[in-house]
Amino acid sequence: MAQIEIKNVAKRFGSYQALHDINLTIQDQEFMVLLGASGCGKTTLLRIIAGLETATVGEVSIGGRRVDHLAPKDRGIAMVFQNYAVFPHLTVFENIGFGLRMKKLPNDEVKGRVERTAELMHIEQLLKRYSGELSGGQRQRVAVARALAMEPDVILMDEPLSNLDALLRMEMRAELKGVLAESNTTAIYVTHDQVEAMSMADRISVMHQGEIVQAASPIEVYRNPAAEFVAGFIGNPPMNFLPAAPAGEGKWSVAGQVMDGPSSGKPLKFAIRPEDMRPADEGLTATAKVVEPLGAHLLITCEVQGSMFRAVLDSDMSVKPGDQLTLAPQPDRMRWFDPDTTLAVA
Amino acid sequence: MNARLLPYVLILPVTLFLCLFFLYPFLLVSKQAFSTGAGFTLDNFREVTGYWKFPITMRNTLLLAAAVVPIQLALALLMATMVNKMKKGRDLVLYVWTIPLGISDLAAGIIWLAIFDQSGFLNSMMNGLGLVDKPVNLLTFQNPGIVFLAIMLAEIWRATAIMLVILVAGIGLIPKEYYEAAEVFGASPWKRFLRITLPLLRPSLQTALVLRVILAFEIFAVVAALGGTLFPVLMGETYAYQFDLLNSGAAAALALIILAISIAFTLIILRVLRVPKGATI
């Protein structure tokens, strides 16, 4: 059992507050992704869990045991680094076996475990090579194998795929997800790539300016963003926002169109995903500016009352720049945000 | 300018300089070493190696190098590790530690002579503490151990910094991530030093050791200042052949012997500390 509990963790570097009061529980064997733009504190949080950084305040527990005073090696974790950190002076075999050697395991056990994990990562033919003789993707596999060979309770990954090219990244994504699911470890995975986060995670913690804005399943984060930041960060293209003025109890005027919404006394922001817009007889009036055919869909960037607005429509539609469109939002997909707190309003 | 030729043109001045002031004199010295006026001969080598002092000077030189270089290596590694751990004042410490590098070896010898001399600081101190009632002459033929120790100390004080600066630069090149990975995978600070720092430092260790070992075989001024004739070394003998005995053929032969030893040790160091192909940072 390796549930991870992070309680009131904050980190300050001099006068810079990198993390504010983080609270997060990661279930045993859960695949948790920390997602955010660079500088949001996700790597700092990971390094605090690893023990490479100490929290200014707060507690970290792994498997019910306080670990914040323990050295990284005593926390039952293994880590995959962004630049792999595959030791250049050791062969692939010795790299994978590094942690096992440090544990002073007998030779034949080291050999057995190294060979098993190498096979799992499909690098058994590379065991005698040095890292200088490996490609980026192979080094990545060595780094993952080195972590798996430790049979850790928790595996921490810091942007492990960010240095790979797009095709390889897609391949490794699926493979890594499969391997980790089989290994029964709890995984924390840091990335700035939302596609990676969506496709791999059991749960995503979206981080922004040193805080966790939302921690939920990928589909929940996508469908019901807890804050404007999440709505604008997740999804490609992201959610559209338009100002909404009160027009009676539960009624809102958005770009001249009256819609049903939550009851609130002050102006809100209306938000909708581009793919949740449909051409209709009645709806928002939009002027198409740029039309991008994407094969399956048409991505249309248009203007709605002076605001930029994107819609993803069926590729059968014929739309030219300058065309006037009438687009209706799918009612159950409409979301509302409070412009002051930036939080979602139900 | 033709791009293929440009590199050669650029290294031409330094090549000419080296040919004129190093290669040409070297050839002259070699010629001198292998001739006594009439054709090729090994007489000069027979003369210097047959002389009764040769085994002593050879032994002294090797002994001194064997005593000094490992201590310097250990010290330089320790100091370089400390400097790299420092967050503030690192440059200042480094400057202070490298001051002895700016002092000529003869001056360094004289500084240590001022300590060990009969009227030196060490005697004054011992006298002041009441350990001795009259000044003692430490650097005499009755105390070969103290003479050796004094030379060792002076050499360590004078020439450790040359290794230090090379190692500091080398350690700085090792990415921090390797240490973090090693830490996560269970390596203690000592294990990290042994398993990460030392192997990744091999190129710098090569340079530092080659440089230092060659200089150790060329030791002369410090020994002359502190030991005089009490502790004869190869380079001192070469000097004596050339300027006291006016036998430049023998001096040239001895100089070539020192060169041969230096080359042999350089090859050993390069071999022992070689980095396998593909295993560089």
Side-chain angles (χ1 to χ4, degrees):
Chain A
M1 280 295 286
Q3 174 180 299
I4 302 169
E5 249 178 291
I6 297 156
K7 268 193 215 154
N8 306 104
V9 164
K11 175 72 183 178
R12 183 177 268 287
F13 293 108
S15 63
Y16 175 67
Q17 186 86 34
L19 290 175
H20 303 267
D21 198 34
I22 299 283
N23 286 288
L24 186 65
T25 304
I26 298 155
Q27 300 304 330
D28 181 41
Q29 298 185 24
E30 188 175 22
F31 195 124
M32 170 63 89
V33 171
L34 304 180
L35 175 67
S38 54
C40 72
K42 56 192 190 299
T43 295
T44 306
L45 182 57
L46 189 80
R47 290 170 60 87
I48 287 173
I49 298 168
L52 292 170
E53 208 84 67
T54 35
T56 312
V57 290
E59 294 176 14
V60 179
S61 308
I62 297 176
R65 185 173 61 122
R66 275 285 291 273
V67 295
D68 19 75
H69 57 285
L70 296 179
K73 69 181 169 77
D74 301 321
R75 297 185 177 207
I77 55 150
M79 191 159 168
V80 180
F81 290 81
Q82 183 172 7
N83 300 317
Y84 320 133
V86 171
F87 303 123
H89 59 292
L90 299 178
T91 58
V92 168
F93 184 99
E94 286 305 325
N95 261 289
I96 299 175
F98 187 88
L100 309 176
R101 295 253 190 250
M102 290 298 129
K103 276 190 179 171
K104 297 202 165 70
L105 293 188
N107 259 331
D108 45 339
E109 172 147 18
V110 173
K111 191 162 179 287
R113 280 220 227 169
V114 168
E115 280 168 1
R116 236 178 303 136
T117 40
E119 216 168 295
L120 194 67
M121 295 308 296
H122 308 295
I123 46 172
E124 64 271 28
Q125 74 287 3
L126 303 175
L127 287 175
K128 289 200 178 82
R129 299 235 197 128
Y130 288 104
S131 87
E133 302 164 302
L134 303 178
S135 68
Q138 290 170 331
R139 261 180 243 179
Q140 175 59 52
R141 287 168 184 275
V142 175
V144 174
R146 180 172 62 183
L148 289 174
M150 297 292 284
E151 295 171 8
D153 299 327
V154 178
I155 190 160
L156 306 173
M157 286 169 281
D158 185 6
E159 309 237 8
L161 305 183
S162 63
N163 288 347
L164 302 180
D165 61 60
L167 202 65
L168 204 53
R169 204 178 323 165
M170 216 160 80
E171 194 186 302
M172 278 302 284
R173 209 161 68 196
E175 197 173 328
L176 206 52
K177 188 175 177 175
V179 165
L180 285 169
E182 261 170 58
S183 69
N184 299 327
T185 50
T186 309
I188 306 182
Y189 187 105
V190 162
T191 183
H192 63 269
D193 181 338
Q194 47 165 307
V195 180
E196 238 168 77
M198 297 289 286
S199 65
M200 297 176 88
D202 291 327
R203 214 148 49 103
I204 299 177
S205 293
V206 184
M207 294 187 67
H208 181 52
Q209 294 181 343
E211 286 179 83
I212 293 179
V213 189
Q214 184 172 16
S217 71
I219 200 68
E220 176 74 9
V221 168
Y222 188 77
R223 285 280 168 241
N224 297 312
E228 221 180 297
F229 171 77
V230 181
F233 187 73
I234 304 266
N236 187 20
M239 266 188 160
N240 293 300
F241 297 99
L242 289 172
E249 178 63 24
K251 298 279 180 205
W252 297 87
S253 161
V254 178
Q257 185 73 22
V258 176
M259 298 178 188
D260 290 332
S263 19
S264 165
K266 56 181 183 178
L268 295 178
K269 261 189 192 171
F270 162 80
I272 186 89
R273 292 219 171 265
E275 68 270 26
D276 295 332
M277 299 302 291
R278 297 277 176 275
D281 298 334
E282 208 180 305
L284 304 173
T285 314
T287 314
K289 294 281 175 197
V290 181
V291 179
E292 297 169 71
L294 300 175
H297 308 284
L298 273 186
L299 172 60
I300 299 168
T301 308
C302 43
E303 208 184 282
V304 174
Q305 283 210 338
S307 304
M308 196 180 71
F309 194 93
R310 286 204 186 90
V312 172
L313 303 179
D314 198 278
S315 53
D316 289 345
M317 301 247 329
S318 78
V319 182
K320 294 186 301 299
D323 283 0
Q324 287 274 340
L325 302 168
T326 309
L327 300 170
Q330 218 170 296
D332 61 326
R333 296 282 169 83
M334 301 194 302
R335 298 291 176 264
W336 305 86
F337 293 95
D338 182 332
D340 298 328
T341 62
T342 78
L343 298 178
V345 180
Chain B
M1 171 72 60
N2 189 330
R4 285 228 321 254
L5 280 178
L6 186 64
Y8 298 99
V9 174
L10 290 176
I11 61 167
L12 190 64
V14 72
T15 311
L16 283 178
F17 179 87
L18 288 174
C19 288
L20 194 60
F21 293 104
F22 287 90
L23 195 61
Y24 178 62
F26 172 72
L27 290 174
L28 287 186
V29 168
S30 309
K31 200 177 143 212
Q32 252 178 346
F34 288 105
S35 67
T36 47
F40 176 85
T41 172
L42 290 175
D43 281 355
N44 287 321
F45 288 91
R46 274 185 213 110
E47 185 183 341
V48 294
T49 53
Y51 186 46
W52 65 271
K53 260 176 127 179
F54 179 76
I56 301 172
T57 53
M58 178 68 100
R59 194 201 62 198
N60 283 350
T61 308
L62 292 177
L63 204 63
L64 196 60
V68 168
V69 176
I71 293 176
Q72 287 185 319
L73 177 64
L75 270 178
L77 277 169
L78 180 71
M79 290 156 86
T81 313
M82 284 162 68
V83 165
N84 268 291
K85 285 248 154 54
M86 289 179 70
K87 291 203 173 71
K88 268 187 199 154
R90 177 195 143 112
D91 289 351
L92 182 72
V93 169
L94 211 50
Y95 288 139
V96 171
W97 279 352
T98 46
I99 284 174
L101 271 189
I103 296 171
S104 89
D105 46 356
L106 183 60
I110 291 168
I111 289 173
W112 284 85
L113 186 63
I115 296 172
F116 284 100
D117 197 26
Q118 193 165 8
S119 54
F121 298 120
L122 186 61
N123 262 306
S124 315
M125 205 173 78
M126 290 198 299
N127 204 0
L129 291 171
L131 295 173
V132 291
D133 46 6
K134 62 178 187 337
V136 274
N137 198 353
L138 296 163
L139 302 173
T140 66
F141 70 94
Q142 289 109 324
N143 302 323
I146 295 181
V147 173
F148 186 74
L149 200 70
I151 294 170
M152 252 179 80
L153 276 173
E155 267 300 276
I156 290 168
W157 176 81
R158 185 183 72 80
T160 302
I162 184 77
M163 297 179 91
L164 172 69
V165 287
I166 296 169
L167 297 183
V168 166
I171 290 180
L173 287 178
I174 302 174
K176 219 179 76 201
E177 248 185 2
Y178 293 138
Y179 290 104
E180 292 186 341
E183 191 183 350
V184 165
F185 288 101
S188 62
W190 173 241
K191 274 268 153 57
R192 294 203 284 275
F193 177 75
L194 284 186
R195 303 279 316 251
I196 308 294
T197 309
L198 278 187
L200 291 180
L201 204 54
R202 274 179 297 187
S204 306
L205 284 173
Q206 274 184 344
T207 314
L209 272 175
V210 166
L211 210 60
R212 188 58 209 111
V213 166
I214 290 176
L215 288 174
F217 292 136
E218 290 174 0
I219 186 165
F220 174 57
V222 170
V223 174
L226 285 167
T229 52
L230 295 175
F231 192 82
V233 286
L234 286 173
M235 205 45 113
E237 278 306 287
T238 314
Y239 180 88
Y241 272 118
Q242 177 73 26
F243 295 105
D244 300 340
L245 304 171
L246 301 178
N247 184 349
S248 31
L254 202 49
L256 286 190
I257 290 174
I258 298 171
L259 177 68
I261 298 172
S262 298
I263 290 174
F265 273 87
T266 301
L267 292 176
I268 292 171
I269 292 166
L270 291 181
R271 173 78 191 156
V272 169
L273 293 175
R274 78 189 181 287
V275 178
K277 193 175 153 283
T280 43
I281 295 179

